[in-house]
Amino acid sequence: MNNQNNTNSEEVIPFIIVQPGYATGDMFAIAATLINNQQYHVLISTTMDEHENVRDPYDNSKSIREFYRSSGIEEYRIHTHNVNEVRAPGLASQLKMEAFNIIREQYKNDLSKRAFENKYYKPVGEGTQYIAKNFSEEMRNQLKVAWEINGSQNDAIKIWLEEQGIPTSGNNLLILWSRFSGKGGDIHIEHDTSYWGIKQIVHRVADMYDAVIITGDKGYVKERAKKYDETANEINVHYQSKKVFNITEFWKGNSPALKAWGGNTRMGQFKLYEYFDTHFKNVKHLGFRSGNLEVMAMLGYKVRYMEEKGSESGGRMTTWFETGSGETALGGRATGYERLILAEPPTRSGKFIQYRIQEINRETQDSIKRLKESYESSGNLDVKKIEKEIKAIEDEGEVRKKIFAGPEMAPSRKDQISPTPIPRKGKESFSEGFSERDMDTILSYLQPSDWVERETGYQRIIGQRNKSYERLLESSEKTG
Protein backbone atom coordinates (compact mmCIF):
# COMPACT_ATOMS: atom_id res chain seq x y z
CA MET A 1 0.00 0.00 0.00
CA ASN A 2 1.90 3.01 -1.27
CA ASN A 3 1.12 6.61 -0.48
CA GLN A 4 0.12 8.36 -3.68
CA ASN A 5 1.70 11.55 -4.96
CA ASN A 6 0.25 13.73 -7.69
CA THR A 7 3.37 14.15 -9.80
CA ASN A 8 4.26 14.93 -13.39
CA SER A 9 7.08 13.70 -15.60
CA GLU A 10 9.06 16.92 -15.16
CA GLU A 11 9.52 16.37 -11.44
CA VAL A 12 12.85 15.22 -10.11
CA ILE A 13 13.05 11.45 -9.69
CA PRO A 14 13.48 10.65 -5.99
CA PHE A 15 16.11 8.57 -4.28
CA ILE A 16 14.30 5.82 -2.37
CA ILE A 17 15.77 4.44 0.86
CA VAL A 18 14.50 0.91 1.48
CA GLN A 19 14.00 0.27 5.19
CA PRO A 20 12.96 -3.04 6.80
CA GLY A 21 10.11 -2.54 9.24
CA TYR A 22 12.20 -3.75 12.18
CA ALA A 23 15.11 -1.31 11.66
CA THR A 24 14.36 1.36 14.26
CA GLY A 25 18.05 2.03 14.85
CA ASP A 26 18.40 3.45 11.33
CA MET A 27 15.36 5.71 11.48
CA PHE A 28 17.12 8.70 13.04
CA ALA A 29 19.75 9.06 10.33
CA ILE A 30 17.10 8.36 7.68
CA ALA A 31 14.79 11.00 9.20
CA ALA A 32 17.66 13.49 9.20
CA THR A 33 18.31 12.70 5.54
CA LEU A 34 14.64 13.16 4.62
CA ILE A 35 14.46 16.43 6.57
CA ASN A 36 17.56 17.80 4.89
CA ASN A 37 16.91 16.67 1.32
CA GLN A 38 13.48 16.75 -0.34
CA GLN A 39 14.64 14.42 -3.11
CA TYR A 40 14.77 11.49 -0.69
CA HIS A 41 11.81 9.16 -0.08
CA VAL A 42 11.62 6.07 2.13
CA LEU A 43 9.96 2.69 1.54
CA ILE A 44 9.20 0.71 4.71
CA SER A 45 8.21 -2.94 4.81
CA THR A 46 5.18 -3.55 7.03
CA THR A 47 2.73 -6.21 8.20
CA MET A 48 0.03 -3.64 9.07
CA ASP A 49 -3.54 -4.33 8.01
CA GLU A 50 -6.14 -1.70 7.10
CA HIS A 51 -6.76 -1.09 10.81
CA GLU A 52 -3.02 -0.46 11.35
CA ASN A 53 -2.60 -3.60 13.42
CA VAL A 54 0.71 -5.39 12.83
CA ARG A 55 0.91 -9.17 12.48
CA ASP A 56 4.62 -9.52 13.21
CA PRO A 57 5.75 -8.75 16.80
CA TYR A 58 9.08 -7.50 15.40
CA ASP A 59 7.36 -5.06 13.05
CA ASN A 60 8.07 -1.49 14.16
CA SER A 61 6.88 0.06 10.89
CA LYS A 62 3.96 1.87 12.51
CA SER A 63 6.14 3.74 15.01
CA ILE A 64 8.80 4.39 12.33
CA ARG A 65 6.20 5.89 10.02
CA GLU A 66 4.72 8.01 12.81
CA PHE A 67 8.18 9.31 13.70
CA TYR A 68 8.73 10.42 10.11
CA ARG A 69 5.33 12.09 10.02
CA SER A 70 6.02 13.85 13.32
CA SER A 71 9.34 15.01 11.87
CA GLY A 72 7.43 16.89 9.19
CA ILE A 73 8.11 14.46 6.34
CA GLU A 74 5.38 14.81 3.74
CA GLU A 75 3.05 11.85 3.36
CA TYR A 76 3.88 11.32 -0.32
CA ARG A 77 7.54 10.68 0.57
CA ILE A 78 6.73 7.85 3.00
CA HIS A 79 5.87 4.60 1.20
CA THR A 80 4.97 1.22 2.69
CA HIS A 81 4.96 -2.29 1.25
CA ASN A 82 3.09 -5.18 2.85
CA VAL A 83 4.97 -8.38 3.66
CA ASN A 84 4.15 -11.43 5.77
CA GLU A 85 7.14 -11.03 8.11
CA VAL A 86 9.55 -8.11 8.33
CA ARG A 87 12.55 -10.39 8.95
CA ALA A 88 11.77 -13.06 6.35
CA PRO A 89 14.67 -14.03 4.05
CA GLY A 90 14.64 -12.66 0.51
CA LEU A 91 12.81 -9.42 1.31
CA ALA A 92 15.63 -7.16 0.16
CA SER A 93 15.14 -7.99 -3.53
CA GLN A 94 11.35 -7.75 -3.16
CA LEU A 95 11.60 -4.28 -1.63
CA LYS A 96 14.07 -3.17 -4.26
CA MET A 97 11.60 -4.18 -6.98
CA GLU A 98 8.78 -2.37 -5.19
CA ALA A 99 10.89 0.80 -5.02
CA PHE A 100 11.55 0.48 -8.77
CA ASN A 101 7.83 0.08 -9.44
CA ILE A 102 7.05 3.21 -7.42
CA ILE A 103 9.29 5.28 -9.65
CA ARG A 104 8.00 3.69 -12.85
CA GLU A 105 4.32 4.08 -11.92
CA GLN A 106 4.25 7.36 -9.99
CA TYR A 107 6.82 9.23 -12.02
CA LYS A 108 5.70 7.90 -15.43
CA ASN A 109 9.15 7.32 -16.84
CA ASP A 110 10.88 4.48 -18.67
CA LEU A 111 13.89 4.29 -16.36
CA SER A 112 15.65 0.93 -16.71
CA LYS A 113 16.07 -1.31 -13.69
CA ARG A 114 19.85 -1.07 -13.97
CA ALA A 115 19.74 2.74 -14.10
CA PHE A 116 17.42 2.75 -11.09
CA GLU A 117 19.70 0.49 -9.05
CA ASN A 118 22.80 2.47 -9.98
CA LYS A 119 21.41 5.86 -8.98
CA TYR A 120 18.03 5.99 -7.23
CA TYR A 121 17.85 2.82 -5.12
CA LYS A 122 19.36 3.32 -1.67
CA PRO A 123 19.79 0.57 0.98
CA VAL A 124 18.91 1.12 4.63
CA GLY A 125 22.43 2.35 5.45
CA GLU A 126 22.04 5.33 3.13
CA GLY A 127 21.06 7.59 6.03
CA THR A 128 24.37 6.87 7.74
CA GLN A 129 26.31 7.63 4.55
CA TYR A 130 24.33 10.80 3.86
CA ILE A 131 25.08 12.18 7.33
CA ALA A 132 28.78 11.39 6.90
CA LYS A 133 28.85 13.32 3.63
CA ASN A 134 26.50 16.21 4.35
CA PHE A 135 26.20 16.93 8.07
CA SER A 136 26.66 20.57 9.09
CA GLU A 137 25.74 22.98 11.86
CA GLU A 138 22.91 24.18 9.66
CA MET A 139 21.60 20.62 9.41
CA ARG A 140 21.84 20.21 13.19
CA ASN A 141 19.70 23.32 13.64
CA GLN A 142 17.32 22.05 10.98
CA LEU A 143 16.79 18.86 12.99
CA LYS A 144 16.12 20.82 16.17
CA VAL A 145 13.48 22.85 14.37
CA ALA A 146 11.84 19.73 12.86
CA TRP A 147 11.83 17.96 16.24
CA GLU A 148 10.70 21.12 18.09
CA ILE A 149 13.71 21.15 20.40
CA ASN A 150 13.53 24.78 21.42
CA GLY A 151 13.26 24.92 25.22
CA SER A 152 9.53 25.65 25.16
CA GLN A 153 8.82 22.69 27.48
CA ASN A 154 11.59 23.40 29.98
CA ASP A 155 9.29 24.54 32.79
CA ALA A 156 7.22 21.35 32.51
CA ILE A 157 10.36 19.20 32.31
CA LYS A 158 11.70 20.85 35.44
CA ILE A 159 8.50 20.01 37.34
CA TRP A 160 8.76 16.35 36.26
CA LEU A 161 12.43 16.17 37.25
CA GLU A 162 11.66 17.62 40.66
CA GLU A 163 8.97 14.95 41.13
CA GLN A 164 11.64 12.31 40.46
CA GLY A 165 14.08 14.00 42.83
CA ILE A 166 16.53 14.56 39.96
CA PRO A 167 18.69 17.72 40.08
CA THR A 168 17.57 20.32 37.55
CA SER A 169 20.95 22.03 37.14
CA GLY A 170 24.57 21.62 38.11
CA ASN A 171 28.10 21.11 36.84
CA ASN A 172 28.70 17.49 35.83
CA LEU A 173 26.02 15.07 34.63
CA LEU A 174 26.51 11.52 33.31
CA ILE A 175 23.85 9.74 31.27
CA LEU A 176 24.35 5.98 30.94
CA TRP A 177 22.35 4.24 28.22
CA SER A 178 21.00 0.73 28.78
CA ARG A 179 20.36 -1.58 25.81
CA PHE A 180 18.71 -5.03 25.93
CA SER A 181 17.13 -5.34 22.48
CA GLY A 182 19.51 -8.15 21.48
CA LYS A 183 18.45 -10.43 24.30
CA GLY A 184 14.85 -9.49 23.55
CA GLY A 185 15.08 -11.15 20.14
CA ASP A 186 16.58 -8.44 17.93
CA ILE A 187 20.20 -8.50 16.72
CA HIS A 188 23.68 -8.04 18.20
CA ILE A 189 23.35 -9.54 21.68
CA GLU A 190 27.02 -8.68 22.18
CA HIS A 191 26.10 -4.97 22.31
CA ASP A 192 23.57 -5.38 25.09
CA THR A 193 24.21 -3.82 28.49
CA SER A 194 25.55 -5.64 31.51
CA TYR A 195 23.88 -4.87 34.85
CA TRP A 196 27.19 -5.67 36.52
CA GLY A 197 29.05 -3.45 34.07
CA ILE A 198 26.76 -0.51 34.83
CA LYS A 199 27.31 -1.17 38.53
CA GLN A 200 31.09 -1.03 37.94
CA ILE A 201 30.85 2.30 36.12
CA VAL A 202 28.46 3.89 38.62
CA HIS A 203 30.57 2.92 41.65
CA ARG A 204 33.72 4.15 39.96
CA VAL A 205 32.50 7.60 38.85
CA ALA A 206 29.46 8.55 40.96
CA ASP A 207 31.48 10.86 43.19
CA MET A 208 32.77 12.71 40.13
CA TYR A 209 29.28 13.83 39.06
CA ASP A 210 26.43 15.87 40.48
CA ALA A 211 24.12 13.20 39.10
CA VAL A 212 24.29 9.91 37.21
CA ILE A 213 21.21 8.95 35.21
CA ILE A 214 20.57 5.45 33.83
CA THR A 215 18.18 5.57 30.88
CA GLY A 216 17.11 3.41 27.94
CA ASP A 217 15.93 -0.22 28.27
CA LYS A 218 14.95 -1.78 31.59
CA GLY A 219 16.00 -5.25 30.47
CA TYR A 220 14.75 -8.11 28.35
CA VAL A 221 13.13 -9.48 31.51
CA LYS A 222 11.42 -6.43 32.99
CA GLU A 223 11.56 -7.71 36.55
CA ARG A 224 15.34 -7.39 36.46
CA ALA A 225 15.09 -3.60 36.20
CA LYS A 226 15.31 -3.55 39.99
CA LYS A 227 19.02 -4.26 39.53
CA TYR A 228 19.49 -0.64 38.46
CA ASP A 229 17.53 0.52 41.51
CA GLU A 230 19.77 -1.61 43.72
CA THR A 231 22.89 -0.06 42.18
CA ALA A 232 21.46 3.43 42.66
CA ASN A 233 20.55 2.71 46.31
CA GLU A 234 24.06 1.41 47.06
CA ILE A 235 25.39 4.86 46.21
CA ASN A 236 22.51 7.08 47.35
CA VAL A 237 22.57 5.94 50.98
CA HIS A 238 25.94 7.66 51.32
CA TYR A 239 24.69 11.11 50.26
CA GLN A 240 22.18 13.55 51.71
CA SER A 241 20.59 14.02 48.30
CA LYS A 242 20.25 11.23 45.76
CA LYS A 243 23.09 10.95 43.27
CA VAL A 244 22.11 8.05 40.97
CA PHE A 245 18.73 7.77 39.20
CA ASN A 246 17.12 4.95 37.24
CA ILE A 247 14.71 6.37 34.64
CA THR A 248 14.81 3.45 32.20
CA GLU A 249 11.70 3.39 29.98
CA PHE A 250 10.35 6.54 31.65
CA TRP A 251 8.40 7.26 28.45
CA LYS A 252 6.02 4.42 29.28
CA GLY A 253 4.80 6.34 32.31
CA ASN A 254 1.31 7.76 32.51
CA SER A 255 1.63 10.72 34.88
CA PRO A 256 0.21 14.14 33.95
CA ALA A 257 3.62 15.69 34.72
CA LEU A 258 5.26 13.43 32.11
CA LYS A 259 2.62 14.04 29.46
CA ALA A 260 2.77 17.79 30.05
CA TRP A 261 6.03 18.00 28.09
CA GLY A 262 5.44 15.02 25.79
CA GLY A 263 7.78 12.73 27.70
CA ASN A 264 5.68 9.79 26.55
CA THR A 265 6.60 10.51 22.90
CA ARG A 266 9.81 10.02 20.93
CA MET A 267 10.42 13.71 20.30
CA GLY A 268 9.48 14.58 23.86
CA GLN A 269 12.37 12.39 24.98
CA PHE A 270 14.75 14.47 22.86
CA LYS A 271 13.60 17.57 24.75
CA LEU A 272 14.63 16.03 28.07
CA TYR A 273 18.22 15.53 26.92
CA GLU A 274 18.31 19.04 25.49
CA TYR A 275 17.19 20.30 28.90
CA PHE A 276 20.06 18.44 30.56
CA ASP A 277 22.55 19.77 28.03
CA THR A 278 21.54 23.39 28.61
CA HIS A 279 21.16 23.21 32.41
CA PHE A 280 24.36 21.35 33.31
CA LYS A 281 27.83 22.65 32.51
CA ASN A 282 29.30 19.30 31.43
CA VAL A 283 27.08 16.47 30.20
CA LYS A 284 28.38 13.14 28.90
CA HIS A 285 26.48 10.27 27.28
CA LEU A 286 27.82 6.70 27.25
CA GLY A 287 26.39 3.43 26.01
CA PHE A 288 26.87 0.67 23.48
CA ARG A 289 26.37 1.34 19.78
CA SER A 290 22.76 2.29 19.12
CA GLY A 291 20.54 4.62 17.12
CA ASN A 292 19.61 6.49 20.29
CA LEU A 293 23.20 7.60 20.78
CA GLU A 294 23.47 8.56 17.10
CA VAL A 295 20.66 11.08 17.50
CA MET A 296 22.20 12.43 20.72
CA ALA A 297 25.36 13.18 18.73
CA MET A 298 23.45 14.74 15.84
CA LEU A 299 21.77 17.07 18.33
CA GLY A 300 25.16 18.24 19.56
CA TYR A 301 25.63 16.42 22.87
CA LYS A 302 28.91 14.84 24.00
CA VAL A 303 28.66 11.15 23.17
CA ARG A 304 30.87 8.08 23.19
CA TYR A 305 29.70 4.62 22.27
CA MET A 306 31.39 1.40 23.32
CA GLU A 307 32.21 -1.42 20.97
CA GLU A 308 34.41 -4.49 21.28
CA LYS A 309 37.60 -4.80 19.25
CA GLY A 310 37.04 -6.67 15.99
CA SER A 311 33.26 -6.12 15.93
CA GLU A 312 32.00 -7.68 12.71
CA SER A 313 29.52 -4.83 12.18
CA GLY A 314 31.71 -2.04 13.49
CA GLY A 315 32.80 -0.55 10.19
CA ARG A 316 29.52 1.10 9.23
CA MET A 317 29.64 3.91 11.80
CA THR A 318 33.32 4.74 11.29
CA THR A 319 32.19 7.01 8.44
CA TRP A 320 30.95 9.43 11.13
CA PHE A 321 34.33 9.69 12.85
CA GLU A 322 36.24 12.97 12.97
CA THR A 323 39.47 12.78 10.96
CA GLY A 324 41.37 15.64 12.61
CA SER A 325 39.88 18.62 10.82
CA GLY A 326 36.40 18.59 12.32
CA GLU A 327 35.17 16.66 9.29
CA THR A 328 34.61 13.03 8.38
CA ALA A 329 36.60 11.25 5.69
CA LEU A 330 33.56 11.72 3.42
CA GLY A 331 33.54 15.50 3.85
CA GLY A 332 30.66 16.23 6.21
CA ARG A 333 31.02 17.81 9.61
CA ALA A 334 31.67 15.14 12.24
CA THR A 335 28.58 14.74 14.46
CA GLY A 336 30.59 13.91 17.58
CA TYR A 337 29.61 10.23 17.50
CA GLU A 338 32.93 8.67 18.46
CA ARG A 339 33.94 5.24 19.74
CA LEU A 340 35.60 3.72 22.80
CA ILE A 341 37.13 0.42 21.69
CA LEU A 342 36.99 -2.25 24.39
CA ALA A 343 38.93 -5.50 24.42
CA GLU A 344 35.72 -7.42 25.09
CA PRO A 345 32.00 -6.95 25.80
CA PRO A 346 30.96 -6.80 29.47
CA THR A 347 28.38 -9.61 29.27
CA ARG A 348 29.17 -13.32 29.29
CA SER A 349 26.95 -13.72 26.23
CA GLY A 350 28.89 -11.03 24.40
CA LYS A 351 32.24 -12.58 25.30
CA PHE A 352 31.03 -16.00 24.14
CA ILE A 353 29.87 -14.56 20.81
CA GLN A 354 33.10 -12.60 20.34
CA TYR A 355 35.14 -15.75 21.06
CA ARG A 356 33.13 -17.91 18.66
CA ILE A 357 33.37 -15.36 15.83
CA GLN A 358 37.12 -15.04 16.34
CA GLU A 359 37.37 -18.83 16.35
CA ILE A 360 35.50 -19.10 13.04
CA ASN A 361 37.73 -16.39 11.56
CA ARG A 362 40.84 -18.33 12.61
CA GLU A 363 39.46 -21.56 11.18
CA THR A 364 38.59 -19.81 7.92
CA GLN A 365 42.09 -18.36 7.58
CA ASP A 366 43.67 -21.72 8.43
CA SER A 367 41.56 -23.40 5.71
CA ILE A 368 42.63 -20.77 3.17
CA LYS A 369 46.28 -21.19 4.17
CA ARG A 370 46.09 -24.98 3.76
CA LEU A 371 44.38 -24.56 0.39
CA LYS A 372 47.14 -22.26 -0.89
CA GLU A 373 49.87 -24.58 0.40
CA SER A 374 48.18 -27.52 -1.31
CA TYR A 375 48.13 -25.75 -4.66
CA GLU A 376 51.73 -24.54 -4.27
CA SER A 377 53.02 -28.03 -3.40
CA SER A 378 51.24 -29.52 -6.41
CA GLY A 379 52.56 -26.82 -8.70
CA ASN A 380 49.02 -25.96 -9.82
CA LEU A 381 48.74 -22.17 -9.82
CA ASP A 382 45.36 -21.77 -11.49
CA VAL A 383 44.60 -18.31 -10.03
CA LYS A 384 40.91 -18.23 -10.97
CA LYS A 385 40.29 -21.66 -9.49
CA ILE A 386 42.15 -20.76 -6.30
CA GLU A 387 40.17 -17.51 -5.92
CA LYS A 388 36.90 -19.37 -6.45
CA GLU A 389 37.72 -21.91 -3.73
CA ILE A 390 38.89 -19.18 -1.34
CA LYS A 391 35.60 -17.35 -1.92
CA ALA A 392 33.68 -20.56 -1.10
CA ILE A 393 35.61 -20.95 2.17
CA GLU A 394 34.97 -17.30 3.11
CA ASP A 395 31.26 -17.60 2.28
CA GLU A 396 30.97 -20.69 4.48
CA GLY A 397 32.60 -18.78 7.34
CA GLU A 398 30.12 -15.90 6.92
CA VAL A 399 27.20 -18.33 7.04
CA ARG A 400 28.57 -19.86 10.25
CA LYS A 401 28.94 -16.42 11.85
CA LYS A 402 25.44 -15.24 10.97
CA ILE A 403 23.88 -17.20 13.81
CA PHE A 404 25.84 -15.07 16.28
CA ALA A 405 24.83 -11.71 14.77
CA GLY A 406 21.11 -12.42 14.42
CA PRO A 407 18.30 -13.25 16.85
CA GLU A 408 18.89 -17.00 16.89
CA MET A 409 20.72 -17.03 20.23
CA ALA A 410 18.44 -14.60 22.08
CA PRO A 411 17.16 -15.93 25.44
CA SER A 412 13.80 -14.24 24.89
CA ARG A 413 11.64 -13.81 21.79
CA LYS A 414 8.44 -11.95 20.94
CA ASP A 415 7.27 -14.37 18.25
CA GLN A 416 6.13 -17.99 18.45
CA ILE A 417 9.59 -19.44 17.86
CA SER A 418 11.12 -21.06 20.94
CA PRO A 419 14.31 -19.28 22.03
CA THR A 420 17.61 -21.15 21.73
CA PRO A 421 19.85 -19.20 24.08
CA ILE A 422 23.57 -19.72 24.53
CA PRO A 423 24.05 -22.80 26.74
CA ARG A 424 25.00 -21.97 30.30
CA LYS A 425 28.07 -24.14 30.05
CA GLY A 426 29.11 -22.12 27.02
CA LYS A 427 29.06 -18.88 29.02
CA GLU A 428 30.33 -20.16 32.34
CA SER A 429 34.03 -19.78 31.52
CA PHE A 430 33.61 -16.05 30.86
CA SER A 431 33.56 -13.27 33.45
CA GLU A 432 30.77 -10.74 33.82
CA GLY A 433 31.63 -7.06 33.65
CA PHE A 434 34.45 -4.88 32.36
CA SER A 435 38.12 -5.82 32.71
CA GLU A 436 40.49 -3.38 34.43
CA ARG A 437 41.93 -2.39 31.07
CA ASP A 438 38.49 -1.65 29.63
CA MET A 439 37.53 0.31 32.73
CA ASP A 440 40.64 2.44 32.19
CA THR A 441 39.42 3.12 28.63
CA ILE A 442 36.00 4.12 29.94
CA LEU A 443 37.53 6.35 32.63
CA SER A 444 39.66 8.14 30.04
CA TYR A 445 36.37 9.57 28.79
CA LEU A 446 34.34 9.84 31.99
CA GLN A 447 36.83 11.21 34.52
CA PRO A 448 36.86 15.04 34.65
CA SER A 449 40.28 16.53 33.94
CA ASP A 450 40.36 18.34 37.31
CA TRP A 451 39.21 15.35 39.35
CA VAL A 452 41.01 14.71 42.66
CA GLU A 453 40.66 11.24 44.19
CA ARG A 454 39.00 11.10 47.61
CA GLU A 455 37.55 8.50 49.92
CA THR A 456 33.94 7.39 49.66
CA GLY A 457 31.72 5.38 51.93
CA TYR A 458 31.18 2.74 49.25
CA GLN A 459 33.49 0.46 47.32
CA ARG A 460 34.63 2.39 44.28
CA ILE A 461 36.52 -0.27 42.33
CA ILE A 462 34.51 -3.37 41.51
CA GLY A 463 36.10 -6.10 39.43
CA GLN A 464 34.66 -8.67 37.08
CA ARG A 465 32.86 -11.63 38.58
CA ASN A 466 32.50 -15.25 37.63
CA LYS A 467 29.27 -17.14 37.83
CA SER A 468 28.99 -20.89 38.23
CA TYR A 469 25.48 -22.04 37.39
CA GLU A 470 26.05 -25.30 39.26
CA ARG A 471 26.98 -23.40 42.43
CA LEU A 472 23.95 -21.17 42.01
CA LEU A 473 21.72 -24.21 41.62
CA GLU A 474 23.21 -25.83 44.72
CA SER A 475 22.71 -22.58 46.65
CA SER A 476 19.08 -22.28 45.60
CA GLU A 477 18.42 -25.90 46.55
CA LYS A 478 19.88 -25.34 50.01
CA THR A 479 17.79 -22.23 50.64
CA GLY A 480 14.69 -23.57 48.95
Side-chain angles (χ1 to χ4, degrees):
M1 54 180 183
N2 297 317
N3 301 302
Q4 296 300 310
N5 173 26
N6 295 322
T7 64
N8 59 63
S9 59
E10 295 180 356
E11 285 190 288
V12 176
I13 296 174
F15 303 116
I16 299 186
I17 300 175
V18 172
Q19 181 177 11
Y22 61 82
T24 54
D26 292 278
M27 72 178 177
F28 304 113
I30 292 175
T33 302
L34 294 168
I35 289 167
N36 186 252
N37 193 327
Q38 287 283 318
Q39 192 175 351
Y40 276 86
H41 290 210
V42 64
L43 170 64
I44 312 163
S45 62
T46 183
T47 63
M48 280 192 295
D49 59 23
E50 63 274 16
H51 304 294
E52 297 199 340
N53 297 313
V54 296
R55 301 187 303 274
D56 184 343
Y58 290 102
D59 183 1
N60 296 305
S61 60
K62 184 176 180 179
S63 63
I64 292 172
R65 188 182 64 173
E66 287 307 311
F67 179 68
Y68 293 154
R69 286 172 170 172
S70 299
S71 298
I73 310 303
E74 299 89 344
E75 196 74 31
Y76 75 85
R77 298 168 62 205
I78 307 170
H79 311 270
T80 54
H81 176 64
N82 273 99
V83 296
N84 291 324
E85 298 176 51
V86 293
R87 300 199 302 195
L91 283 182
S93 58
Q94 184 184 138
L95 289 171
K96 183 186 290 187
M97 179 57 71
E98 178 64 17
F100 176 59
N101 290 335
I102 288 171
I103 286 183
R104 289 289 296 266
E105 293 170 11
Q106 295 188 16
Y107 288 81
K108 310 300 181 186
N109 64 75
D110 57 357
L111 186 74
S112 70
K113 191 167 185 290
R114 176 174 291 183
F116 161 73
E117 291 179 357
N118 287 340
K119 184 172 183 180
Y120 299 105
Y121 163 75
K122 302 294 180 182
V124 67
E126 173 66 12
T128 299
Q129 294 298 306
Y130 185 90
I131 298 300
K133 294 176 184 176
N134 299 285
F135 197 73
S136 64
E137 192 62 32
E138 180 184 357
M139 188 175 178
R140 175 169 282 155
N141 293 332
Q142 194 178 24
L143 297 182
K144 289 191 174 185
V145 170
W147 292 333
E148 299 177 358
I149 303 173
N150 52 28
S152 61
Q153 301 296 321
N154 280 354
D155 289 344
I157 290 172
K158 183 177 181 181
I159 291 171
W160 181 78
L161 289 172
E162 288 172 342
E163 284 190 357
Q164 314 305 309
I166 299 173
T168 57
S169 62
N171 290 318
N172 297 320
L173 172 67
L174 173 60
I175 300 174
L176 296 173
W177 287 82
S178 170
R179 177 196 191 270
F180 281 101
S181 55
K183 287 188 176 180
D186 288 333
I187 60 175
H188 294 305
I189 298 174
E190 71 275 18
H191 294 151
D192 276 358
T193 304
S194 160
Y195 288 117
W196 190 260
I198 290 289
K199 179 188 180 82
Q200 287 177 292
I201 294 173
V202 169
H203 273 251
R204 189 70 179 87
V205 305
D207 206 41
M208 303 174 186
Y209 288 86
D210 297 326
V212 177
I213 291 174
I214 306 170
T215 190
D217 298 337
K218 284 183 179 295
Y220 73 98
V221 178
K222 302 305 180 188
E223 295 75 21
R224 295 188 181 180
K226 66 182 181 181
K227 289 178 179 286
Y228 287 145
D229 290 329
E230 291 168 358
T231 292
N233 291 337
E234 288 170 5
I235 303 298
N236 291 337
V237 294
H238 296 280
Y239 293 91
Q240 285 187 325
S241 300
K242 287 184 178 181
K243 170 90 64 169
V244 183
F245 304 88
N246 171 21
I247 62 167
T248 51
E249 299 186 15
F250 68 85
W251 56 88
K252 293 183 178 179
N254 199 36
S255 72
L258 179 73
K259 291 181 177 180
W261 53 275
N264 57 333
T265 67
R266 176 75 69 176
M267 288 194 293
Q269 295 169 46
F270 296 166
K271 296 172 185 179
L272 174 64
Y273 302 112
E274 175 74 5
Y275 179 97
F276 286 140
D277 202 66
T278 55
H279 286 76
F280 284 80
K281 186 177 179 181
N282 302 301
V283 181
K284 293 181 179 179
H285 293 255
L286 177 67
F288 279 88
R289 197 182 79 209
S290 73
N292 285 319
L293 285 177
E294 290 175 27
V295 77
M296 294 295 105
M298 285 192 288
L299 291 174
Y301 315 145
K302 190 171 181 60
V303 171
R304 291 293 181 273
Y305 74 93
M306 297 176 285
E307 188 170 59
E308 77 281 4
K309 182 179 179 181
S311 171
E312 291 281 301
S313 58
R316 184 171 67 92
M317 294 312 302
T318 61
T319 58
W320 282 24
F321 293 175
E322 197 264 338
T323 58
S325 59
E327 295 184 347
T328 70
L330 296 180
R333 173 172 176 170
T335 62
Y337 190 66
E338 303 290 336
R339 175 171 61 180
L340 296 178
I341 299 180
L342 307 180
E344 58 187 12
T347 63
R348 287 184 297 272
S349 297
K351 290 181 175 72
F352 173 84
I353 288 172
Q354 182 188 36
Y355 173 79
R356 288 294 294 122
I357 288 175
Q358 290 174 346
E359 189 176 50
I360 293 169
N361 286 338
R362 286 193 298 270
E363 291 170 356
T364 298
Q365 291 305 310
D366 288 345
S367 296
I368 292 173
K369 182 181 178 182
R370 287 194 298 270
L371 174 71
K372 289 180 177 178
E373 290 173 347
S374 173
Y375 273 104
E376 288 172 1
S377 63
S378 67
N380 183 354
L381 297 177
D382 186 335
V383 176
K384 287 187 177 180
K385 186 176 181 181
I386 295 172
E387 289 178 347
K388 184 177 180 181
E389 291 191 32
I390 289 175
K391 179 68 163 52
I393 293 171
E394 291 173 340
D395 288 346
E396 181 186 358
E398 291 303 312
V399 170
R400 291 175 64 197
K401 288 188 290 187
K402 273 187 177 180
I403 189 173
F404 299 106
E408 288 82 1
M409 308 200 81
S412 178
R413 294 184 68 108
K414 302 173 189 174
D415 52 24
Q416 300 304 310
I417 299 175
S418 297
T420 53
I422 299 167
R424 288 179 171 179
K425 282 293 182 183
K427 298 187 295 183
E428 196 172 66
S429 60
F430 299 99
S431 299
E432 183 179 21
F434 297 105
S435 67
E436 289 184 21
R437 182 170 64 170
D438 284 340
M439 278 301 299
D440 286 342
T441 299
I442 292 168
L443 282 171
S444 70
Y445 166 59
L446 293 183
Q447 184 169 298
S449 58
D450 59 350
W451 174 249
V452 178
E453 195 94 4
R454 57 192 179 195
E455 285 191 19
T456 59
Y458 50 86
Q459 183 180 353
R460 296 183 66 238
I461 299 176
I462 297 176
Q464 293 177 302
R465 69 170 181 175
N466 294 311
K467 181 182 285 187
S468 169
Y469 291 99
E470 288 182 357
R471 288 198 296 270
L472 285 174
L473 181 61
E474 290 172 0
S475 175
S476 65
E477 287 175 347
K478 289 177 182 178
T479 57

